[in-house]
Amino acid sequence: MTPGSISIANLSRQDAMRALLAGIAADLQAYPQLEQALQQQFDAALRHKSADLAAAAEAITTLVDAMQQRRAERVALVQRLVGETGNMVQAFALLKSPAREKMEADWISLEAAVIECKRLSKRNGDLLAEQYTIMQRVLHGEEQIYAPA
C-alpha cells in the first residue's frame, strides 16, 4: 500500500492488519540493506573515497526515507486497529496465537536491527566528524597551540 492509495481510516480491520504486517516484513527485509549501506559508508570514509561515500549516502537516504514512510503508516494502522493511544503489543494481541508469536518475534528482530543500525550510524558519524576535525587542523592549523593554563 502506498500513501494516498487508500485512506487508512477506510480500511477494514483485516486489511489494516495485513498492511501492518506487510510493513513490518518490508522493514525486516530493508534493514540488512541499510546495514550494508552503512558498512559501505564506513569503508568509503576510511579510504577517503568521496564517490563511494556519496553513493552510500544516497542509498542510506533512500532506505531511511522508505522506512520512515512505513513507520508513519504503521503508527496510523495501529491507531486504526486499537485506537489513538494504541501500541504494537495491543495490535499483535488481536492476532491468533501462532501469527501473534511470529509477529512478536519479528518485531523483536526489527527492534534489534534498528538498534544495530543506529550504532553503525553513530560510528560512521563519529568517524566522519573526526576526519573533518583533522582536515580542519591540517588546512587551518591549530587555533591555540599554547593555550593559557
Side-chain angles (χ1 to χ4, degrees), residues 27-48:
D27 275 356
L28 280 171
Q29 291 178 346
Y31 267 94
Q33 295 171 24
L34 179 58
E35 191 172 332
Q36 181 180 15
L38 287 165
Q39 188 58 48
Q40 290 169 347
Q41 181 185 47
F42 184 75
D43 294 342
L46 281 177
R47 290 170 179 73
H48 303 284

Side-chain angles (χ1 to χ4, degrees), residues 23-92:
I24 292 169
D27 275 356
L28 280 171
Q29 291 178 346
Y31 267 94
Q33 295 171 24
L34 179 58
E35 191 172 332
Q36 181 180 15
L38 287 165
Q39 188 58 48
Q40 290 169 347
Q41 181 185 47
F42 184 75
D43 294 342
L46 281 177
R47 290 170 179 73
H48 303 284
K49 297 197 175 236
S50 61
D52 293 349
L53 199 53
E58 186 175 328
I60 291 166
T61 299
T62 299
L63 287 165
V64 169
D65 286 349
M67 289 173 179
Q68 179 60 27
Q69 186 175 356
R70 283 191 296 270
R71 188 200 67 76
E73 185 175 275
R74 190 163 36 249
V75 168
L77 288 165
V78 167
Q79 290 173 344
R80 163 68 182 93
L81 289 166
V82 294
E84 288 293 316
T85 60
N87 60 42
M88 293 301 292
V89 172
Q90 292 169 323
F92 291 153

